Amino acid sequence: MREGGRARDLALIVPVIGLFALMPPLVGLFVGGAVAGVPLILAYLFGVWLALIFVALLLARRLKGQAEARDESGSTASS
Amino acid sequence: MDISQLALIAALGFAGLLFLIAFLADREGRPRWLASPVVYTLSISIYCTSWTFYGAVGSAARNGLEYLTIYLGPTLVFIGFWALLRKILRIAKRDSITSIADFVSSRYGKSDSVAAVVTILALLAAAPYIALQIKAIAASFQVLGSAPGDLTGAAAAAPDPVVAFWITAGLALFTILFGTRTVDINERHLGVVAAIAVEALVKLVALVAVGALAVWGVADGPSDLFERMADSAVPLDTPFGMRWVGLILLSGAAIICLPRQFQVTIVENEREGHLFTAAWLFPLYLLVMSLFVLPIAVIGLDVLPEGSNPDMFVLTMPIAEGRTDIALLAFLGGFSSGTSMVIVSCIALSTMISNHIVMPLALRSPGARLQGGGDVRRFLLVSRRLSICFILLLGFIYLRTGASGEGLASIGLIAFVGAAQVLPALLGALYWEGANRRGALAGLIAGGIVWAYALFLPNIFGGVAWWDALAEAGPFGQAWLRPGALFGLQTDDALMHALFWSLTFNCIGLVLGSLSRLPNPIERLQAALFVGVFREEAGAGTLRGGAASADQLFDLAQRIMGADRAYDIFRSYARGQGAATEFPTVDDAFIAHLERRMAASVGAASARAMILSVTGSETISLDELVRIADETARLMTYTSEVTRKSDEIERAATQLKAANDRLRTLDRQKDEFLSQVSHELRTPMTSIRSFTEILSGTHDLKPEEQERFIGIIHAESIRLTGLLDEILDMSVIESGDGERALEPVDPEAALDQALDACLGLLRTGDVRVETARVDRAVLVQGNLARLSQVFINILSNAVKYNTNDAPVIHVESQVTADDYIVVIADNGAGIPPEEAQTVFDRFSRGRTAGTQIGAGLGLAISHAIVTRSGGTLRLLPGSGGARFEVRLPLSEAESLA
């Protein structure tokens, strides 16, 4: 598989993982209890949310770099 | 000052500021930051409307964490941008898509009916959504205006119709001024985007400020807050069941399918790269907005009297804490949320209404007269403005008839379910090549009807007797058709009930409809272009030639280009390869070559799709493709008609170009003329100025010197006046404005007048005049005064430029069959041949003129006069003195006689 293929596959799978993490029955496990005074369910939901954003940030940077590199090589090849 | 008055002033001032921003952004050379991905992301944040700003707190107070679903769905969609949004964006950019209706219909064979159905659905779904904004803005005004002791926010439950009406009218005006200043070809509104980006910042700052007040102002920091949360009525143990799942999916669908989200995310997008930033920045914005909702709900329930409306906590909580400044900021935040949603919704919907309902009707109606471009533009603008008023009126009516008792969030969800009906057709468009128009229409209509019946209408008519009776017993007594329990599905949750059945029927409609017939060629082509939008990119360099045989390729090529041409291409390529056979060896180079040739006939994208299908990395079967090719060939016959039309257009373009060239030449001549005129005027002006300066600056001038200078100034002034008169004459004659009409006149009389006028001049110059005149009355078309001006001019030239010691002027007139001819000759030095060419040009004073004064416009004017009378004025060739011939056609009355 070519370089960058993994990033693209990850970009497809991350939202699916996110959906899975936010769906019952998984979310139901975190109802009740607290971590450091914060209700566990809040910590979990916002934690997953932040993690998704962070992964998206990394992926977007990676994929954008690739897209630009491809555009560049494409334009030099055609010129 | 009362806080409600202050709020009104702040709202108006804020609206003014937004106009200023929009105006600056629309100007040429707008600032670079406007094109940044951050502004793009902020504009997507119109997803957060009054519903988020006021309603999310209300939702949190009532249903706990459920409000998060509305933001988690869009988060997942944006994080998964690579699969869905990027594909939509790429297609929309390639095909210059203007709205979601345009997008879906373009995929289903550019179908008018699909576009109209999507538009109507979107319009119906927008009514509750806009009602929600009106309700929230009206309530926020009323809460600020209510007696200081009343913080229950009771007004929010039932907004005053008068206030609501004026807010609706204000929004209509605001949106029309904002969104329909121009009709942009690609439907982009840079100014609006800039303004809503600012509004997005305002609502974020406002909500964070209120949240900070709750956490650190009222509660004693986070730990205190969580203690209060544990004691409060906010339910943290939301059941994570069907509703949780359904709402996440629903909000995920809404972020794609809402017309205004499509507008900002797809249509207004400047660069695909911006989506890469929005992919994480927009979820982050949502997260920050959601973070403080729960604290505000908890603190609001704590500090406000029991029974207060939680939808207004964002506003009433700061007031209760005595922070009117934060309350005012919150009011502006709510105002921003509401207005930005209404503006973009109305722009998107009015575009859809005018493009997909009004225009098709106007084009089909027999009396339609929409030819000129300006006409269509005006028509579009007017129809868009009326559409905006119509949309807002629908929202207002919805507010008045239904839903007024419900929380903001539940009204918004009704709209979401309506908008989500587009999702199956949209996903089918992107991922299923077999989906066709029949399926899309069936799905949209089935889903739309179920939505309207199970959710929209109950919300409007709930409480009305006949509807309640129907809802209780079912139509025609059929209990299984009750709108609240279709097919006996008993549930308390009307929203999930409607969502389930509407999407179920929608998907069934799409699948069965699509499978019930084969897609027609144009659908198949669009399907390949939509589903395979990235194939071009991925396919580059990965052609596998071995998968296709030369026979297959030839079969395809001959159907598109005709057998002869295809044969030529194949044979000549085979020769180039040095092969003895008729068909070349199939390799990547040959496939690329063939594709380029085919692209010339069917366009690059289709050629690529067809070739790829033959080479094996495509799912359409070869048979199907051949059928496409057959259809293409048939279409090409129709196309010849189009080609003929385009030839006509080309001819018109050539004519236009010629006209343009002529105009350019005239323009250049005008410029030359102007520079000549200024030059001519400068000379006398300079000498007048210098002598005036001498006269006023030198005090010991001798009287005779003074007199001489004044004489020069006088003479120059006269020359200047004469020059100006001539220029004026010239422009009057050339433009024809203010010039008297031509009439039959006697040119002999004009000649007599001229000779009389020149009598003085002739005497002073001691000139002898010989005449040989026609002996009968003649009539020509002209103007007596102008004609004699011509003769005077020629005569006086003959005197002035005559250097002979015994000057003689010969005037001879005669009549031929058609013309009246006058020749005026002198015995002077004549005009040198090299000047003969330019003698009639402006400012062409003879070089031999020496000391003579005059602007050099006389002959040019004369020439113009004669030309206007339909005659000619020319210099007759020959040596000796100058001989001018004036030839005027006899007037019709004369030649008949």
Side-chain angles (χ1 to χ4, degrees), chain B residues 842-863:
Chain B
R842 296 157 179 154
F843 301 111
S844 72
R845 219 166 310 154
R847 235 174 286 153
T848 44
T851 58
Q852 291 301 336
I853 57 166
L857 278 174
L859 279 175
I861 293 174
S862 302
H863 190 260

Side-chain angles (χ1 to χ4, degrees), chain B residues 565-590:
Chain B
R565 264 194 64 208
Y567 187 67
D568 282 350
I569 290 170
F570 275 67
R571 198 179 47 182
S572 66
Y573 203 90
R575 294 231 176 101
Q577 283 179 337
T581 52
E582 300 283 77
F583 281 174
T585 317
V586 175
D587 55 12
D588 283 358
F590 173 66

Side-chain angles (χ1 to χ4, degrees), chain B residues 624-880:
Chain B
E624 266 184 280
L625 215 81
V626 162
R627 232 174 301 150
I628 294 185
D630 278 343
E631 286 287 340
T632 312
R634 218 178 304 157
L635 274 175
M636 274 161 77
T637 352
Y638 293 125
T639 315
S640 66
E641 179 80 358
V642 179
T643 316
R644 197 176 54 75
K645 287 251 165 67
S646 85
D647 283 351
E648 275 169 27
I649 293 170
E650 205 168 303
R651 269 200 298 284
T654 319
Q655 285 166 359
L656 271 180
K657 194 166 169 298
N660 188 26
D661 287 347
R662 218 156 45 233
L663 280 176
R664 271 174 204 278
T665 316
L666 285 176
D667 189 51
R668 205 176 50 243
Q669 283 175 352
K670 186 203 73 193
D671 286 348
E672 280 168 11
F673 177 65
L674 279 180
S675 83
Q676 280 169 335
V677 166
S678 49
H679 177 76
E680 292 292 330
L681 291 178
R682 239 184 116 80
T683 325
M685 283 302 287
T686 316
S687 87
I688 289 173
R689 209 179 95 198
S690 50
F691 281 111
T692 321
E693 273 162 12
I694 294 173
L695 280 174
S696 62
T698 331
H699 297 294
D700 51 352
L701 276 178
K702 287 180 211 150
E704 61 267 28
E705 267 181 320
Q706 284 186 5
E707 208 163 309
R708 191 159 64 83
F709 290 165
I710 288 170
I712 294 173
I713 291 174
H714 184 237
E716 290 291 324
S717 313
I718 290 172
R719 194 173 137 197
L720 200 58
T721 320
L723 192 60
L724 288 173
D725 282 346
E726 285 186 0
I727 291 170
L728 204 61
D729 256 11
M730 187 81 202
S731 69
V732 164
I733 292 164
E734 287 211 329
S735 67
D737 291 345
E739 183 73 355
R740 266 172 294 167
L742 298 178
E743 56 196 12
V745 292
D746 182 0
E748 286 290 294
L751 193 52
D752 284 339
Q753 273 185 13
L755 284 168
D756 287 348
C758 293
L759 212 56
L761 193 64
L762 295 167
R763 289 226 179 107
T764 351
D766 201 12
V767 183
R768 191 155 56 83
V769 182
E770 294 170 355
T771 54
R773 308 276 296 276
V774 66
D775 53 359
R776 68 177 177 96
V778 194
L779 283 182
V780 298
Q781 286 293 334
N783 176 299
L784 197 65
R786 289 295 187 203
L787 278 185
S788 72
Q789 190 183 350
V790 173
F791 296 134
I792 290 172
N793 189 264
I794 300 173
L795 283 169
S796 61
N797 275 353
V799 177
K800 278 190 282 187
Y801 296 98
N802 200 330
T803 46
N804 201 304
D805 290 338
V808 177
I809 292 177
H810 187 81
V811 180
E812 184 189 329
S813 62
Q814 62 186 65
V815 177
T816 67
D818 302 320
D819 297 324
Y820 166 78
I821 301 166
V822 179
V823 176
I824 297 173
D826 64 69
N827 61 344
I831 293 167
E834 67 268 21
E835 285 180 22
Q837 293 292 326
T838 59
V839 75
F840 295 115
D841 288 354
R842 296 157 179 154
F843 301 111
S844 72
R845 219 166 310 154
R847 235 174 286 153
T848 44
T851 58
Q852 291 301 336
I853 57 166
L857 278 174
L859 279 175
I861 293 174
S862 302
H863 190 260
I865 293 172
V866 175
T867 310
R868 202 175 110 77
S869 306
T872 52
L873 168 61
R874 60 191 183 115
L875 180 64
L876 293 177
S879 54

Side-chain angles (χ1 to χ4, degrees), chain B residues 11-313:
Chain B
L12 291 177
F14 186 62
L17 179 72
L18 293 179
F19 270 119
L20 186 68
I21 291 166
F23 172 74
L24 290 178
D26 267 343
R27 273 192 326 185
E28 290 284 325
R30 72 214 159 89
R32 173 80 59 83
W33 58 264
L34 257 182
S36 81
V38 176
V39 170
Y40 172 68
T41 309
L42 285 175
S43 73
I44 297 175
S45 308
I46 55 160
Y47 180 71
C48 299
T49 64
S50 306
W51 169 359
T52 299
F53 197 82
Y54 294 124
V57 173
S59 170
R62 294 186 191 104
N63 304 323
L65 293 173
E66 186 187 294
Y67 79 96
L68 284 177
T69 54
I70 305 306
Y71 310 102
L72 288 173
T75 295
L76 292 174
V77 170
F78 267 79
I79 283 170
F81 73 104
W82 186 258
L84 184 62
L85 288 176
R86 194 175 66 109
K87 192 165 186 179
I88 298 177
L89 188 61
R90 181 69 67 88
I91 296 167
K93 284 219 166 304
R94 184 192 65 197
D95 296 354
S96 301
I97 295 294
T98 59
S99 67
I100 185 157
D102 191 20
F103 186 88
V104 175
S105 68
S106 149
R107 157 66 177 80
Y108 294 111
K110 322 218 173 207
S111 152
D112 279 350
S113 47
V114 171
V117 170
V118 173
T119 303
I120 291 169
L121 206 53
L123 190 62
L124 287 179
Y129 215 157
I130 286 176
L132 186 165
Q133 314 301 326
I134 299 171
K135 181 177 175 180
I137 297 177
S140 68
F141 264 113
Q142 283 173 269
V143 165
L144 286 184
S146 61
D150 178 24
L151 289 175
T152 54
D160 183 353
V162 179
V163 175
F165 175 78
W166 285 112
I167 285 169
T168 313
L171 284 173
L173 183 72
F174 194 56
T175 311
I176 287 173
L177 288 177
F178 238 105
T180 62
R181 279 172 299 179
T182 53
V183 174
D184 191 6
I185 292 177
N186 50 16
E187 303 301 348
R188 293 185 53 203
H189 307 76
L190 299 171
V192 175
V193 168
I196 60 175
V198 172
E199 292 194 293
L201 280 180
V202 171
K203 60 196 182 197
L204 183 70
V205 169
L207 199 65
V208 168
V210 178
L213 177 69
V215 178
W216 288 283
V218 183
D220 202 12
S223 53
D224 182 32
L225 179 86
F226 289 124
E227 275 170 35
R228 285 173 183 234
M229 199 180 280
D231 300 335
S232 81
V234 172
L236 277 187
D237 50 350
T238 317
F240 293 100
M242 271 309 292
R243 191 172 164 88
W244 176 268
V245 178
L247 287 179
I248 288 184
L249 297 180
L250 180 59
S251 60
I255 194 77
I256 310 165
C257 297
L258 282 172
R260 69 170 197 282
Q261 293 305 137
F262 193 90
Q263 177 80 25
V264 287
T265 313
I266 308 296
V267 180
E268 305 280 355
N269 174 283
E270 190 142 346
R271 227 177 288 158
E272 196 177 298
H274 288 177
L275 188 59
F276 288 70
T277 304
W280 57 271
L281 194 54
F282 176 61
L284 189 62
Y285 184 98
L286 294 179
L287 185 139
V288 176
M289 284 296 267
S290 316
L291 202 56
F292 288 103
V293 166
L294 212 52
I296 297 172
V298 170
I299 298 300
L301 285 173
D302 251 14
V303 301
L304 290 165
E306 201 153 323
S308 298
N309 184 345
D311 276 342
M312 283 292 133
F313 278 180

